Amino acid sequence: MYVKIPQVGTVVTGDDVEIGANTCIDRGALNNTTIGNGTKIDDLVMIGHNCKVGNNVVLSGRVGMAGSTTIGDNCQAGGGAGFAGHLSVPAGTIIGGGAGVPGTIDAPGYYAGYMPALPHKEFFNILSVIKRLPEMRRSLKRVEAKLDSLNKTE
């Protein structure tokens, strides 16, 4: 059974904020949803309840932020990027267009990537392999080097 939670917070926008057409900013559930000074929000952006968007952030069209996402100052998110919610993104981070952010990002940087929806188990199997690719590559290079040295001794 679903339980309705009254949305008693508000939306607080800073100075020099621009909000594009058909953008939706949900009021906070218990606290406020906040948009920092100088932030530019394109058309068709969705900002969920209790989100905190820092100063001078740029959100391109169709960015979606689920509730309680915190975006640091001077961040950028390309068109169609999505944030899973209840996560933080550090100041100065760039999220590439179409990228999905499933959890908190610990270090600022440029994050990108796109994967179509797959069955849950298949996606996590692929993800576990992707995470191990750098070590698998190093291991393969070691094996190739040993093979090369064996071939030279023949």
Side-chain angles (χ1 to χ4, degrees), residues 59-81:
L59 302 176
S60 298
R62 295 191 335 59
V63 164
M65 295 171 52
S68 300
T69 295
T70 300
I71 305 291
D73 295 342
N74 304 306
C75 288
Q76 300 172 36

Side-chain angles (χ1 to χ4, degrees), residues 44-63:
L44 298 166
V45 171
M46 171 63 210
I47 298 175
H49 61 86
N50 298 335
C51 286
K52 300 199 177 319
V53 179
N55 297 317
N56 303 308
V57 171
V58 175
L59 302 176
S60 298
R62 295 191 335 59
V63 164

Side-chain angles (χ1 to χ4, degrees), residues 13-47:
T13 58
D15 294 331
D16 196 30
V17 170
E18 295 179 18
I19 300 171
N22 295 314
T23 286
C24 180
I25 303 174
D26 288 347
R27 67 189 292 171
L30 300 174
N31 299 313
N32 295 331
T33 299
T34 59
I35 311 296
N37 296 326
T39 290
K40 308 303 181 209
I41 303 171
D42 201 357
D43 301 340
L44 298 166
V45 171
M46 171 63 210
I47 298 175

Side-chain angles (χ1 to χ4, degrees), residues 58-139:
V58 175
L59 302 176
S60 298
R62 295 191 335 59
V63 164
M65 295 171 52
S68 300
T69 295
T70 300
I71 305 291
D73 295 342
N74 304 306
C75 288
Q76 300 172 36
F83 300 83
H86 299 276
L87 60 86
S88 297
V89 176
T93 299
I94 298 171
I95 306 297
V101 180
T104 291
I105 294 175
D106 295 321
Y110 188 160
Y111 294 83
Y114 175 80
M115 183 176 287
L118 298 167
H120 187 263
K121 188 174 181 175
E122 183 180 350
F123 170 75
F124 280 103
N125 285 336
I126 291 169
L127 188 60
S128 70
V129 171
I130 289 171
K131 287 180 178 180
R132 294 192 321 257
L133 282 176
E135 178 53 37
M136 292 168 80
R137 182 173 185 251
R138 286 189 290 273
S139 179

